[in-house]
Amino acid sequence: MAVNTIRDQKEKTVINNATGDWAPNPHTKMVELTPIEERIKEERPQLAGGMTRLRSILGEDIYNKRVASLVNITRSGETLMVVAGSFMERSMLERDCIPAFKEAFGVAMVRVVV
C-alpha cells in the first residue's frame, strides 16, 4: 500500500507503533507511581497540611493501609475528590476514613472514585 498523504503517513506510523490493539496517545506519558504524600507536596502544596492532619487523625496503621496507596486527591470548594486504585480500596476508604477526610481537609463532602 502506497502512502499518498501526510494523514495516511501519520495513521500508518500510529498503527506501526501500537503494541496490542490500541494506539498510544502522544499527549500522555507513563510515570512511576510515587507515594501520594510526595505528589501532593509537589503538585498541590495547599493540600499538604490536610495530609498531615489526616495522618494524625487516622493513626499510622490505618493511614498506611488506606491513604498511602491513593492515586490522587483534589479539592474544589467544599468537596474533596479521592481517587482510589480499586473498588475494594474505595469500599475500605468509605468505611474507615470519610469523617477523618472531612475533618482533616475542612470539607463538607468527600467523594471517592475509582
Side-chain angles (χ1 to χ4, degrees):
M1 177 177 159
V3 176
N4 297 326
T5 66
I6 293 174
R7 180 177 174 202
D8 291 339
Q9 188 174 5
K10 285 182 182 177
E11 288 176 0
K12 185 175 181 181
T13 302
V14 169
I15 292 169
N16 289 341
N17 289 338
T19 56
D21 60 349
W22 59 276
N25 184 338
H27 303 289
T28 60
K29 63 182 178 178
M30 186 175 291
V31 295
E32 185 176 330
L33 188 64
T34 57
I36 187 75
E37 296 136 348
E38 291 177 20
R39 286 181 280 133
I40 290 296
K41 286 177 186 174
E42 292 173 13
E43 298 168 11
R44 292 180 197 88
Q46 68 275 16
L47 297 179
M51 293 296 289
T52 304
R53 285 188 297 276
L54 185 63
R55 181 187 292 270
S56 67
I57 293 167
L58 291 175
E60 286 295 319
D61 189 41
I62 293 176
Y63 184 88
N64 289 331
K65 285 181 184 177
R66 305 286 180 248
V67 179
S69 63
L70 292 176
V71 176
N72 200 5
I73 297 175
T74 58
R75 180 180 177 160
S76 177
E78 289 294 310
T79 303
L80 188 73
M81 184 168 2
V82 179
V83 182
S86 69
F87 287 104
M88 179 184 273
E89 286 180 27
R90 176 185 172 196
S91 297
M92 298 296 129
L93 283 167
E94 289 175 340
R95 184 188 74 186
D96 298 338
C97 303
I98 296 296
F101 273 109
K102 287 180 178 180
E103 182 182 340
F105 289 93
V107 295
M109 187 172 114
V110 176
R111 183 169 186 183
V112 183
V113 298
V114 177

